[in-house]
């Protein structure tokens, strides 16, 4: 136990060192090429922390990726590489909008019911590839990728023919009724009650995964299928349950994103927050308790970038590049500490050595 | 090899360890201050209890892990074992205690991995296959070059491992418990090949828990205890009990089990059971067998004679194509693994880290896996941390599992200690029927005697036990009855007694005789 804690601490220090190194290598030369180098550094690094509003922004950005990171965690723990999270997020947002616009929802429970509809419909994006894998042994990675795009096109079709507001200039839905939208928590930010749900979801999932029998069985099935068979665990059912749970979380994330931030639904491409969720899951080493810090860190980077763009007038593309570099380095570093990956690398190395002899 | 090189090899040891120490990152001290030398061209045995540090020392020699202190010398020169490609450059080959083959590749692909014969940019498959066939013939280790490795029995995979280690110009061959799953004729065959290799000048390091094997093969032996060197000696100069003394610091008495006077009711019945699969290890034909409560039935046979098939149909991993299976009067032919466990089966599988446990999960989690619904360990869906810790601590103490914390991963245990933990878990269920498949493979003498006592106790407590083992001494020590399998059929069903010995079983195992 003490060893674990120490190892965790060392890993954290390594990650921080990597961030510092990237900042030195990427950000400092870039800052020096600008008219006010100090302003670049301070607004990027300290900007997100300098006011309640900016802190609120960080939390706002972290909310959806905490959800998708959690969805990815639950799904990866089952041993499947199901990428339906992205499609589920999109579908969840769309279905929640449709429910809010088309269904006669009672006033008080409107946001809740819209989220339930979004989560349920969105979960299909993860359930279908999971089912195809378990029943027909089809690669869940391929089917989920294909399905994501099918969902996008079907979704744009639904938006265009059923939800579109002809009075709006571009392709977007009717205005989402105010009583279906989530409560804002902080003035002049879009931080909403979804953030509270995200915190509760991560804590709940952590307890479920590490402190309950069902969570232990899921980890056995995902990490050692042969052992699960030996114990007689209902592996297919457990894996399927994880796809349903992951899908529901992804769908809920999309619903909360739309109902919490936007007056109308207007996604005509995949929003990409499912992909970010995969990065969050890897950074958090598939541990729900570490999802919140990981999501907040990515949120911090993005808000820092936004501030840089707004206040120092650096082009958004350049800012994007810098954030991407930091994210890449941190992720690469986390990937190399990822247990499954480490195991893979170790066995490859052993095999290489054994065959080189 | 040039003449003067051969001369220097005679005086300079091929391998020398000098003050080797190893502390794992989690704080486990696996080795401290180990120094000894191995004569070039000799066969050198390394002995020691589970967790003594044998595998760790070999991994250091092979460059898989770095020592914390000390140096390794090859031919008298210090080498840096951590360097990339180290093992290949110095002609080191290693057969690992736990397999490192890729299950989804064929035997040929696994053996050529890393040094594939090429034609242009492509792998020359025909050439590779020819080469593997020639290799297998040269070393008299029969393998099917086209078989999918994951489908092979454990013993067949072991042979592939050995061939792979020999497949390069190997000068120093490390064998970490290579005989654990081979049957006696196969072991004899392997030993003959190893003697031949050693006569050609190869240095062989051989790890085994079996003293008779060490004596049959090796010239000298080094003993480790608790990570420290207890001594190196020529085998000719030292009697068995002195070695046991060095291994354990005390002597262990090994006796035949006294079977229970009266056998209980019939517990397990197989009646004309056959499976319809092609793999010989899984194929059984027309098996009829009864196991009584309180009886230990031992299964003998050359590996791959149907043992795996028999275990599979008796544990719900596979359903028979025909025949009747009953357990305590209940029809079990179509019951799945969970149904068997609920009915009172416990199963100690041969593949420890593949089926016996989850290597990436903690000791505690492995120890309580499968106890779903135990009211002592969970309240509703929630696991009770304190109760689990207490239970697991007790299991670990009862089975003296050498560990560095119950929160550590299972694969941080040495092979024998992992098996003890798995046995503790399976026996904790107080089974009515117990399958023990190679239960003491890779386990040191003291721990094996301990596990044998537990099996005996379980039998006395009324469990029906099916013991599958490649170790005939173990079989004859424990079993009330010995059933010999050959090509998926029962060729002999013999009552165990003083007149039964390995020589008597040999002809049945090779299919030369039947008596049932
Ligand atoms: N990767 C690891 N991390 C931490 N501790 C380890 C690791 N590998 C081995 N150990 C510990 O080091 C000690 C020596 O282990 P080693 O595997 O060398 O024993 P061994 O002599 O080969 O035993 P066996 O006969 O059971 O195979 C044991 O206490 C074991 O728990
Ligand atoms: Mg070992």
């Amino acid at each position: 136990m003490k060893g674990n804690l120490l190892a965790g601490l060392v890993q954290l220090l390594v990650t921080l060192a990597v961030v510092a190194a990237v900042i030195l290598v990427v950000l400092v030369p870039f800052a020096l090429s600008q008219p006010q180098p100090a302003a670049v550094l301070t607004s990027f690094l300290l900007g997100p922390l300098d006011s309640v509003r900016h802190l609120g922004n960080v939390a706002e950005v972290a909310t959806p990726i905490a959800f998708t990171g959690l969805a990815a965690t639950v799904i990866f723990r089952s041993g499947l590489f199901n990428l339906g999270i992205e499609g589920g997020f999109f579908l969840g947002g769309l279905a929640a909008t449709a429910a809010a616009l088309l269904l006669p929802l009672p006033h008080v429970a409107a946001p809740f019911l819209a989220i339930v509809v979004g989560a349920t419909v969105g979960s299909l994006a993860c359930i279908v590839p999971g089912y195809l894998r378990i029943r027909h042994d089809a690669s869940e990675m391929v089917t989920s990728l294909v399905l994501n795009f099918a969902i996008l096109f079907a979704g744009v079709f639904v938006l265009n023919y059923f939800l579109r507001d002809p009075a709006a200039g571009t392709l977007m839905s009717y205005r989402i009724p105010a009583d279906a939208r989530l409560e804002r928590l902080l003035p002049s930010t879009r931080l909403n009650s979804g953030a509270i749900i995200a915190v509760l979801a991560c804590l709940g999932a952590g307890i479920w995964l590490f402190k309950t029998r069902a969570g232990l069985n899921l980890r056995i099935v995902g990490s050692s299928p042969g052992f699960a068979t030996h114990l007689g665990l209902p592996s297919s059912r457990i894996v399927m349950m994880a796809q349903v749970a992951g899908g529901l979380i992804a769908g809920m994330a999309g619903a909360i994103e739309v109902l919490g931030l936007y007056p109308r639904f207007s996604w005509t491409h995949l929003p990409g927050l499912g992909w970010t969720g995969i990065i969050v899951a890897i950074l958090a080493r598939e541990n729900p308790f570490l999802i919140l810090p990981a999501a907040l860190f990515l949120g911090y980077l993005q808000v820092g970038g936004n501030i840089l763009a707004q206040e120092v007038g650096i082009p958004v593309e350049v800012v994007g590049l810098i954030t991407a570099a930091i994210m890449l380095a941190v992720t690469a570093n986390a990937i190399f500490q990822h247990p499954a990956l480490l195991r893979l690398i170790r066995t490859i190395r052993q095999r290489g050595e054994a065959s080189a002899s | 090899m040039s003449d003067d090189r051969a001369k220097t090899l005679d005086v300079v040891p091929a391998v020398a360890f000098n003050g080797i120490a190893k502390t794992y990152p989690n704080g486990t001290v696996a080795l401290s201050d180990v120094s000894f030398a191995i004569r070039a061209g000799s066969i050198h045995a390394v002995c020691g209890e589970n967790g003594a540090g044998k595998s760790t020392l070999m991994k250091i020699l092979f460059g898989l892990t770095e020592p914390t202190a000390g140096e390794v010398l090859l031919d008298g020169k210090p080498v840096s074992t951590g360097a990339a490609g180290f093992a290949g450059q110095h002609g080191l080959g290693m057969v690992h205690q736990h397999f490192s083959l890729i299950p989804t590749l064929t035997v040929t692909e696994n053996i050529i991995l890393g040094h594939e014969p090429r034609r242009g940019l492509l792998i020359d498959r025909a050439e590779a296959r020819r080469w593997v066939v020639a290799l297998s013939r040269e070393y008299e280790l029969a393998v099917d070059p086209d078989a999918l490795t994951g489908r092979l029995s454990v013993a067949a995979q072991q042979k592939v491992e050995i061939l792979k280690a020999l497949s390069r110009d190997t000068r120093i061959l490390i064998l970490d418990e290579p005989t654990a799953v081979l049957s006696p004729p196969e072991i004899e065959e392997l030993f003959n090949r190893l003697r031949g290799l050693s006569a050609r000048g190869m240095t062989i390091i051989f790890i085994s828990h079996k003293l008779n094997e060490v004596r049959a093969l090796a010239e000298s032996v080094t003993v480790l205890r608790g990570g420290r060197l207890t001594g190196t000696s020529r085998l000719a100069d030292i009697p068995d009990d002195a070695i046991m003394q060095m291994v354990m610091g005390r002597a262990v008495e090994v006796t035949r089990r006294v079977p229970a006077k009266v056998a209980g009711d019939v517990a397990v019945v197989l009646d004309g059971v056959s499976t319809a699969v092609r793999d010989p290890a899984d194929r059984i034909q027309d098996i009829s067998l009864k196991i009584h409560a309180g009886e230990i039935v031992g299964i003998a046979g050359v590996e791959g004679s149907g043992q795996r098939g028999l275990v599979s149909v008796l544990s719900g991993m596979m359903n028979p194509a025909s025949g009747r299976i009953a357990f305590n009067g209940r029809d079990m032919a179509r019951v799945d693994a969970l149904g068997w466990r609920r009915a009172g089966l416990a199963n100690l599988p041969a593949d420890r880290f593949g089926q016996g446990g989850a290597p990436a999960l903690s000791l505690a989690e492995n120890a309580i896996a499968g106890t779903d619904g135990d009211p002592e360990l969970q309240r509703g869906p929630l696991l009770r941390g304190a109760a689990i810790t207490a239970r697991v601590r007790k299991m670990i103490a009862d089975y003296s599992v050498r560990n560095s914390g119950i929160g550590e991963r299972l694969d941080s245990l040495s092979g024998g200690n992992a098996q003890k933990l798995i046995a503790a878990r399976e026996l904790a269920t107080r089974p009515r029927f117990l399958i023990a498949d190679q239960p003491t493979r890779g386990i040191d003498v003291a721990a094996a005697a301990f596990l044998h006592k537990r099996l005996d106790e379980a039998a006395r407590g009324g469990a029906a036990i099916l013991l599958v083992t490649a170790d005939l001494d173990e079989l004859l020590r424990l079993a009330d009855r010995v059933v010999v399998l050959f090509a998926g059929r029962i060729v002999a069903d013999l009552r165990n007694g003083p007149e039964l010995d390995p020589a008597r079983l040999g002809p049945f195992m090779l299919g030369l005789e039947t008596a049932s």
Side-chain angles (χ1 to χ4, degrees):
Chain A
M1 283 280 119
K2 213 162 60 193
N4 276 347
L5 205 70
L6 206 70
L9 216 74
V10 169
Q11 283 182 351
L12 186 71
L13 286 177
V14 170
T15 308
L16 288 179
V18 169
V19 176
V22 172
I23 288 172
L24 271 179
V25 171
V26 181
L27 199 59
V28 169
F30 171 77
L32 289 177
S33 73
Q34 297 297 313
Q36 323 127 280
V40 170
L41 283 181
T42 48
S43 51
F44 183 73
L45 295 178
L46 302 178
L49 312 175
D50 67 3
S51 67
V52 176
R53 184 164 74 89
H54 285 162
L55 284 172
N57 291 137
V58 170
E60 166 199 324
V61 175
T63 303
I65 58 180
F67 276 121
T68 51
L70 187 61
T73 295
V74 171
I75 283 176
F76 291 172
R77 283 283 184 176
S78 75
L80 257 52
F81 207 69
N82 186 343
L83 303 175
I85 305 152
E86 179 67 42
F89 186 84
F90 175 88
L91 203 54
L94 180 72
T97 310
L101 289 177
L102 305 178
L103 298 182
L105 301 176
H107 287 286
V108 267
F112 174 73
L113 290 176
I115 290 174
V116 169
V117 171
T120 312
V121 177
S123 68
L124 290 174
C126 293
I127 292 175
V128 172
Y131 178 83
L132 291 176
R133 167 59 191 266
I134 288 166
R135 266 298 132 90
H136 304 289
D137 210 23
S139 159
E140 73 279 5
M141 203 166 109
V142 175
T143 53
S144 60
L145 271 177
V146 173
L147 188 64
N148 281 346
F149 286 97
I151 286 173
L152 171 65
F153 296 131
V156 172
F157 174 85
V158 169
L159 173 60
N160 198 6
Y161 286 92
F162 297 99
L163 308 176
R164 178 174 196 168
D165 183 356
T170 52
L171 178 55
M172 50 172 72
S173 74
Y174 287 100
R175 218 164 242 290
I176 299 171
D179 55 7
R181 303 186 47 200
L182 298 179
E183 208 178 317
R184 292 278 160 93
L185 297 179
L186 211 64
S188 74
T189 72
R190 298 184 296 176
L191 184 64
N192 56 66
S193 44
I196 299 171
I197 305 179
V199 172
L200 294 178
C202 285
L203 294 179
I207 291 172
W208 172 67
L209 199 57
F210 292 115
K211 307 275 182 217
T212 71
R213 177 65 73 174
L216 173 60
N217 286 348
L218 173 66
R219 286 182 295 130
I220 292 176
V221 169
S223 77
S224 299
F227 183 37
T229 312
H230 167 85
L231 291 173
L233 294 179
S235 300
S236 303
R237 199 165 76 214
I238 291 175
V239 170
M240 206 56 224
M241 284 268 304
Q243 312 311 303
V244 174
L248 285 173
I249 298 171
M252 179 168 82
I256 287 177
E257 182 74 351
V258 171
L259 300 179
L261 302 194
Y262 308 120
R264 302 161 185 267
F265 181 89
S266 63
W267 290 337
T268 51
H269 53 262
L270 291 174
L273 293 170
W275 307 138
T276 315
I278 293 174
I279 297 179
V280 172
I282 291 175
L283 272 181
R285 281 179 286 136
E286 295 174 15
N287 180 341
F289 294 124
L290 299 180
I291 295 251
L292 290 173
L296 284 170
F297 174 69
L298 292 191
Y300 159 82
L301 283 187
Q302 188 173 329
V303 171
N306 291 346
I307 295 172
L308 202 57
Q310 284 161 16
E311 296 183 1
V312 193
I314 312 267
V316 217
E317 290 77 12
V318 177
V319 172
L321 216 64
I322 294 173
T323 10
I326 296 181
M327 221 149 96
L328 194 71
V330 174
T331 316
N333 174 52
I335 283 181
F336 282 111
Q337 294 173 358
H338 194 253
L341 237 104
L342 276 183
R343 208 178 323 128
L344 194 74
I345 292 168
R346 194 175 339 118
T347 39
I348 288 173
R349 201 182 132 207
Q350 269 176 16
R351 271 160 206 156
E353 289 284 327
S355 58
S357 55
Chain B
M1 194 184 297
S2 72
D3 268 0
D4 49 279
R5 176 121 182 263
K7 250 177 248 152
T8 49
L9 283 183
D10 264 351
V11 277
V12 180
V15 181
F17 297 101
N18 196 355
I20 298 281
K22 171 75 187 178
T23 306
Y24 279 106
N26 66 5
T28 309
V29 180
L31 293 169
S32 28
D33 193 23
V34 171
S35 309
F36 66 96
I38 297 170
R39 192 179 71 81
S42 72
I43 302 183
H44 191 103
V46 178
C47 290
E49 288 183 307
N50 294 129
K54 306 178 296 293
S55 296
T56 303
L57 187 66
M58 292 307 121
K59 283 184 203 153
I60 287 174
L61 172 59
F62 196 61
L64 284 179
T65 140
E66 304 246 353
T68 324
E71 55 177 1
V72 175
L73 294 87
L74 294 182
D75 300 331
K77 287 184 275 300
V79 288
S80 128
T81 54
F86 163 79
Q89 277 162 24
H90 290 85
L92 287 157
M94 177 156 174
V95 175
H96 296 271
Q97 185 174 4
H98 304 292
F99 302 142
S100 59
L101 299 172
I102 302 177
T104 51
L105 296 185
T106 67
V107 167
T108 300
E109 287 165 341
N110 258 307
I111 292 178
I112 62 167
L113 195 70
H115 49 101
E116 302 87 355
R118 287 178 186 279
R119 199 170 41 200
L121 282 175
L122 300 174
I123 294 176
D124 186 344
R125 293 193 173 272
E127 171 60 24
R129 191 176 183 283
R130 263 197 301 282
W131 185 60
V132 168
V133 170
L135 198 70
S136 137
R137 201 165 293 152
E138 184 188 349
Y139 293 110
E140 289 175 36
L141 289 164
V143 292
D144 173 1
D146 307 314
L148 211 56
T149 312
R151 296 267 163 81
L152 294 178
S153 69
V154 183
Q157 292 189 29
Q158 178 82 271
K159 288 189 207 168
V160 179
E161 288 272 4
I162 295 174
L163 281 178
K164 188 174 167 64
L166 290 170
S167 68
R168 273 282 186 91
D169 298 327
T170 307
R171 214 160 56 78
I172 300 171
L173 179 63
I174 306 166
L175 300 152
D176 195 349
E177 299 189 28
T179 57
V181 287
L182 301 183
S183 66
E186 291 167 321
I187 292 176
E188 200 36 56
E189 222 176 280
L190 171 70
F191 281 10
N192 284 334
R193 292 310 315 166
L194 294 179
R195 288 187 195 106
L197 291 173
S198 143
R200 278 197 243 163
M202 190 181 291
T203 307
I204 297 173
I205 307 176
F206 173 75
I207 296 182
S208 172
H209 288 290
K210 297 186 187 133
L211 213 50
N212 55 349
E213 288 180 3
V214 169
R215 227 171 242 299
L217 191 66
E219 165 189 305
S220 42
V221 59
T222 292
V223 178
L224 299 176
R225 181 172 359 124
R228 292 184 173 279
L229 188 83
T230 45
T232 295
S233 170
R234 290 178 53 83
L235 277 156
D237 304 341
I238 182 170
D240 278 358
D241 49 357
I243 301 182
M244 286 333 279
Q245 190 73 32
M246 282 162 74
V247 168
M248 284 172 290
R250 66 195 156 86
V252 164
E253 210 181 319
V254 179
T255 48
R256 273 199 191 204
R257 161 177 181 269
V258 185
K261 287 266 154 39
V262 273
D265 299 336
V266 176
V268 181
V269 180
L270 288 98
D271 189 9
V273 174
S274 302
T275 55
V277 284
R278 277 185 48 218
D279 191 330
D282 285 330
R283 190 172 59 213
I284 52 177
Q285 294 174 61
D286 195 23
I287 298 273
S288 295
L289 181 70
K290 286 193 176 82
I291 309 175
H292 295 80
E295 184 183 37
I296 301 185
V297 172
I299 301 292
V302 175
E303 177 71 32
S305 302
Q307 292 94 327
R308 202 170 67 190
L310 182 61
V311 169
S312 299
V313 298
L314 281 178
S315 56
M317 302 283 173
M318 187 162 69
N319 286 332
S322 60
R324 199 173 65 85
I325 300 178
F327 177 42
N328 286 341
R330 189 177 143 205
D331 178 23
M332 300 295 277
R334 298 272 161 262
V335 168
D336 63 6
L338 187 63
W340 271 99
R341 282 186 92 84
R342 291 231 169 103
L345 167 80
N347 185 350
L348 214 55
D351 183 359
R352 224 160 276 169
F353 287 137
Q355 295 194 312
L361 299 191
S362 73
L363 302 192
E365 287 164 341
N366 272 283
I368 61 149
T371 57
D372 297 40
D374 183 335
E376 245 179 65
L377 299 184
Q378 60 188 104
R379 189 183 292 118
L382 280 181
L383 295 170
R384 303 171 65 169
I388 289 173
T389 306
R391 165 93 59 101
V392 176
R393 286 249 162 82
K394 182 163 182 332
M395 284 162 91
I396 279 180
D398 285 352
Y399 280 74
S400 41
V401 178
R402 208 182 145 187
N403 72 100
S404 42
I406 62 172
E408 296 289 329
R409 290 162 54 111
L410 180 69
D411 58 6
S412 76
L413 290 185
S414 79
N417 282 304
Q419 179 73 338
K420 284 197 251 179
L421 185 72
I422 294 164
R425 179 191 68 223
E426 294 294 321
L427 286 168
T429 62
R430 307 200 155 280
R432 307 312 304 153
F433 176 33
L434 173 68
I435 298 176
D437 193 356
Q438 318 294 350
T440 59
R441 167 179 155 206
I443 290 198
D444 66 51
V445 180
F450 175 84
L451 273 181
H452 288 165
K453 223 159 117 206
R454 296 285 93 81
L455 291 181
D456 179 41
E457 272 169 21
R460 274 168 210 290
I465 300 184
L466 184 77
L467 170 70
V468 181
T469 174
D471 180 346
L472 288 185
D473 292 331
E474 170 171 83
L475 193 78
L476 293 172
R477 204 175 299 144
L478 284 180
D480 297 313
R481 259 163 63 213
V482 176
V483 170
V484 186
L485 285 183
F486 179 76
R489 294 179 182 278
I490 293 182
V491 292
D493 187 339
L494 310 163
R495 185 139 292 284
N496 192 8
E499 72 293 343
L500 209 56
D501 59 17
R504 177 88 187 88
L505 291 174
F508 295 118
M509 292 173 68
L510 296 173
L512 304 173
E513 243 183 81
T514 52
S516 50

